[in-house]
Amino acid sequence: MRFEVITKIDADAERVWAVQSDVERWPEWTASVRRAHRLEPGPLTVGSTARLEQPGLRPAVWRVVEVDAPYRFVWVSALPGVRSRGDHRIVPLPGGGVRVELSLDQSGPLAAPVGWRYGGLIRRYLRLEAEGLRRRCQPG
């Protein structure tokens, strides 16, 4: 199962990265996250972890598996029967601003039923994250 949302933000990649990689502050700008707690200090690096609490979902620990600051980070989380992979891309645009691509891929024996049951909520949360990120990053 794959879920994706794309949005344009009138800010540079460094600004968007600063907001997006500060995981503990996500609850300030997206209603899709109730609580976020980094499990170690410092910038996001491969191996960094964070515990997210999202309305209507079980709390999950996410582990960063790829980082290309200030353009991308990928993290994974596993619950019984489902492995989730969240990709956060920031693509600079020629005329200024960036395109942000957020995606969630789910795999495992329960991915299809979980996607069927929670697909609407996952899509909504990706939209909330993209819209909140845009509002937080754009000047004015």
Side-chain angles (χ1 to χ4, degrees):
M1 302 286 309
R2 180 173 177 84
F3 306 92
E4 183 177 43
V5 66
I6 297 171
T7 191
K8 183 179 183 297
I9 298 178
D10 293 325
D12 62 29
E14 289 77 14
R15 167 72 180 144
V16 178
W17 175 260
V19 172
Q20 192 171 54
S21 65
D22 189 358
V23 175
E24 287 194 325
R25 296 187 72 174
W26 285 16
E28 296 176 11
W29 53 264
T30 179
S32 66
V33 178
R34 183 181 301 133
R35 287 190 185 95
H37 177 68
R38 286 283 311 278
L39 301 180
E40 61 283 310
L44 282 185
T45 59
V46 171
S48 294
T49 54
R51 184 177 190 271
L52 296 186
E53 295 179 27
Q54 297 182 271
L57 298 175
R58 292 175 53 180
V61 173
W62 291 84
R63 182 177 46 84
V64 175
V65 295
E66 293 179 44
V67 175
D68 179 18
Y71 305 110
R72 181 178 186 214
F73 79 90
V74 178
W75 59 7
V76 296
S77 180
L79 294 172
V82 181
R83 181 178 186 269
S84 298
R85 182 179 188 272
D87 195 343
H88 308 76
R89 288 181 187 261
I90 302 166
V91 180
L93 299 173
V98 298
R99 181 178 69 242
V100 172
E101 303 169 356
L102 305 174
S103 64
L104 182 74
D105 292 285
Q106 294 184 314
S107 59
L110 296 179
V114 167
W116 177 81
R117 170 73 171 91
Y118 292 100
L121 185 63
I122 292 168
R123 286 182 194 91
R124 179 172 172 262
Y125 282 1
L126 284 173
R127 283 192 309 272
L128 285 170
E129 185 179 335
E131 291 165 7
L133 185 62
R134 185 176 65 243
R135 282 192 306 272
R136 184 73 162 210
C137 294
Q138 287 187 168

